[in-house]
Amino acid sequence: MKACLLRSPAPVETNPLQFTDAPDPRPGPSEILVRVKKCGVCRTDLHVVEGELPPRKSPVIPGHQIVGVVEKLGQSARRFAPGARVGIAWLHRTDQTCEYCCAGMENLCDNPMFTGYTVDGGYAECAVAPEDFVYEIPQNFPDDQAAPLLCAGIIGFRSLRLSGIERGGRLAFYGFGAAAHVAIQVARHWGAEVYACTRGAKHQQLALQLGAVWAGEAAAEPPAKLDAAIIFAPAGELVPAALKGLKKGGVLVLGGIHMSPIPSFDYDLLYQERMIRSVANNTRKDGEDFLRVAAEIPVRTQVTVFPLREANRALNDLKSDRINGAAVLDCTR
Ligand SMILES: [Zn+2]
Ligand SMILES: [Zn+2]
């Protein structure tokens, strides 16, 4: 198969992904082989490619928002029939035996495997995954629209859940990329009032189009006090800015897997029972719940599609804020 291989992490400006031939993956007994149609490009891929996340497999094929069709079943795989359309996401597998898995918190598993990081992912024509960790994709989403739901969408959804936002509540997003442009649709569906703090007029415009009541620069202070805020941008300096905008008892959720250092700030910003919490991965239930809600709303994703061989260009565009909505690779050409 054709695939984009990362041999060693490097700045994306040096185009570190190599479009090349790679051996076809083979499904293990309870796994399925998927013919990849589309694979979403996530900021986490950027952190993998540039080495902000320490290398765990080398070389590795990035990509963890895979939409494709089941091509082959492992010996004991029963859940899907060949030809079924499925999604493979970041949480590739958990051990199901650690204290976190046993307590229903598999997102915090002690021995997790991650698609496109500790195992090969979807910047390729084929990928394998354990059938139990694969999602059914609701009918109403075309492949390219569905791809960004699988991480940007699911992580945004978990971030919303952890924010505790309720009907009539005020919520701010810091950074308005792939995750926020989906999460805002869910937040509005739940009846929240949304504020967007993000760099660049294009992202602000998209936020307003999607129903934000206000949009301003990344560290701007929204014109109303907030019940909750979610930082999707990987910028630690936004933490004090976001705390400043919260009401007493407000919740600040950090939605990214990597963030630049958080500067020190006065205790006053946190006092009055404000909370800061991070989001790590997701449970399969988050994913299933989100896909159901996304189909009900229905969520619309704005995507820019690149051919698989141009994955480096997609990552460069993501890094320099040139993607409005989400970038997606077409892995069939
Ligand atoms: Zn576990
Ligand atoms: Zn992701």
Side-chain angles (χ1 to χ4, degrees), residues 42-45 64-65 90 151-152 155:
C42 175
R43 188 164 288 277
T44 299
D45 303 340
H64 57 267
Q65 303 187 90
W90 172 246
C151 181
I155 293 296

Side-chain angles (χ1 to χ4, degrees), residues 95-96 98 101 109-110:
D95 61 9
Q96 298 300 297
C98 76
C101 285
C109 178
D110 280 334

Side-chain angles (χ1 to χ4, degrees), residues 215-274:
E217 273 305 309
E221 198 172 334
K225 287 288 181 194
L226 306 161
D227 297 284
I230 302 172
I231 300 184
F232 287 120
E237 67 269 19
L238 293 177
V239 169
L243 281 173
K244 210 176 275 179
L246 286 184
K247 292 204 314 211
K248 292 186 250 190
V251 179
L252 173 58
V253 175
L254 311 182
I257 191 170
H258 169 82
M259 188 175 239
S260 59
I262 299 172
S264 70
F265 52 84
D266 285 342
Y267 181 54
D268 287 357
L269 283 182
L270 188 61
Y271 186 59
Q272 303 289 8
E273 304 199 340
R274 294 179 182 91

Side-chain angles (χ1 to χ4, degrees), residues 1 23-36 57 61-64 66 68-74 77 80 86-93 113-135:
M1 67 171 182
D24 281 356
R26 293 173 44 165
S30 60
E31 293 186 329
I32 54 176
L33 174 72
V34 171
R35 170 76 43 184
V36 182
K57 174 182 186 295
I61 300 170
H64 57 267
I66 300 169
V69 169
V70 177
E71 186 158 291
K72 209 190 267 177
L73 304 178
F80 297 100
V86 295
I88 304 173
W90 172 246
L91 192 69
H92 193 81
R93 180 197 289 276
M113 287 164 83
F114 297 119
T115 313
Y117 181 40
T118 64
V119 297
D120 284 334
Y123 287 17
E125 289 178 316
C126 295
V128 294
E131 62 171 357
D132 286 347
F133 285 81
V134 168
Y135 297 95

Side-chain angles (χ1 to χ4, degrees), residues 5-9 55-61 117-118 120:
L5 278 190
L6 178 71
R7 295 192 188 279
S8 59
R56 295 277 301 273
K57 174 182 186 295
S58 187
V60 67
I61 300 170
Y117 181 40
T118 64
D120 284 334

Side-chain angles (χ1 to χ4, degrees), residues 193-208:
E193 192 172 278
V194 176
Y195 297 74
C197 304
T198 187
R199 307 195 277 211
K202 264 193 173 164
H203 297 302
Q204 292 169 14
Q205 222 163 34
L206 180 61
L208 293 170

